[in-house]
Amino acid sequence: MPDDPKQGLFFPARQAAAAAPGAATSPSIEAAAAAETRARPGRLQLPRRMVLRWAGWGSVLLVVGGWLNGFLGFFYPHKTGAFGGTITAGTADELKVGDVKVVPDGKFYLSRVPEGFLALWWKCPHLGCTVPWKDNEEALPGDEGFAQKGEFHCPCHGSRYNRYGQIIFGPAPRPMDAFPVTIDGDKIKVDTGPQKAVTRDRSGPDSPQIARA
Ligand code: FES
């Protein structure tokens, strides 16, 4: 294989010779080109050797590119265990009915209602404030059958939500959004992220977002 790319590595030898600055065209090369043109008038001549070289180099590039892709992908950090990924919020026997657990990494509350588990995004559906859980305030309608204390109470404009995330008082236009919950063995897993949040018109015991215990 020639060392100089202009001498045939990437271009046909006669084109490379013609392209060389100040190079005189060899009579034998000119004769060969003329013979090729006469043999196949009107057709672009592409030497088979060049085609094979390009195919060879293309294959090498494909292999190196695939290897680099795998190598870099291995070291690229995948998002797990933080907001935007899947979070293990605890175990199924950790909470009793009526308990609410804050999960800061996922920006949600895990609410244990009689029917199962709900993951409520702490972002207020009104104007986006973080809604705190107030366990010393009176329980709101909807919770009275299984809890006496506790509610979600937004400090910005006073929206108040029960343990299902249902808006009971205040200006919020809908219940708190919910993240999908799955129970894997005894682990409760929550799929977080703004694009995963489910917007509801109402939330209660029949909500499909409740992972049944
Ligand atoms: S942002 Fe929560 S009530 Fe307005």
Side-chain angles (χ1 to χ4, degrees), residues 124-129 131 154-159 161 171-172:
C124 184
H126 181 222
L127 292 178
C129 291
V131 182
C154 183
C156 295
H157 311 97
S159 289
Y161 310 85

Side-chain angles (χ1 to χ4, degrees), residues 47-130:
R48 184 188 306 171
R49 187 173 294 181
M50 294 313 302
V51 172
L52 292 176
R53 279 183 189 153
W54 278 104
W57 281 107
S59 303
V60 169
L61 285 176
L62 273 178
V63 170
V64 172
W67 181 83
L68 267 180
N69 187 38
F71 181 79
L72 296 176
F74 178 79
F75 289 102
Y76 187 80
H78 295 285
K79 208 169 185 180
T80 57
F83 190 65
T86 300
I87 290 182
T88 300
T91 55
D93 58 2
E94 187 182 326
L95 301 180
K96 61 182 189 303
V97 173
D99 285 351
V100 171
K101 175 185 180 183
V102 60
V103 183
D105 286 348
K107 302 184 180 181
F108 67 87
Y109 297 100
L110 188 64
S111 179
R112 176 69 163 101
V113 290
E115 299 78 18
F117 297 89
L118 258 174
L120 301 169
W121 190 8
W122 69 24
K123 182 180 176 185
C124 184
H126 181 222
L127 292 178
C129 291
T130 298

Side-chain angles (χ1 to χ4, degrees), residues 80-207:
T80 57
F83 190 65
T86 300
I87 290 182
T88 300
T91 55
D93 58 2
E94 187 182 326
L95 301 180
K96 61 182 189 303
V97 173
D99 285 351
V100 171
K101 175 185 180 183
V102 60
V103 183
D105 286 348
K107 302 184 180 181
F108 67 87
Y109 297 100
L110 188 64
S111 179
R112 176 69 163 101
V113 290
E115 299 78 18
F117 297 89
L118 258 174
L120 301 169
W121 190 8
W122 69 24
K123 182 180 176 185
C124 184
H126 181 222
L127 292 178
C129 291
T130 298
V131 182
W133 168 250
K134 300 283 189 181
D135 58 9
N136 57 348
E137 295 186 6
E138 285 300 309
L140 294 175
D143 293 354
E144 66 278 273
F146 58 91
Q148 283 71 51
K149 293 268 186 189
E151 65 169 306
F152 299 102
H153 193 156
C154 183
C156 295
H157 311 97
S159 289
R160 299 165 68 189
Y161 310 85
N162 65 17
R163 282 169 169 78
Y164 293 94
Q166 175 64 39
I167 175 73
I168 303 297
F169 302 110
R174 62 176 192 272
M176 296 168 75
D177 296 340
F179 293 130
V181 183
T182 52
I183 299 178
D184 182 7
D186 67 337
K187 290 189 171 54
I188 299 171
K189 298 194 172 178
V190 179
D191 218 0
T192 65
Q195 68 279 21
K196 302 287 178 54
V198 180
T199 300
R200 292 101 41 87
D201 293 331
R202 62 173 297 280
S203 182
D206 57 349
S207 291

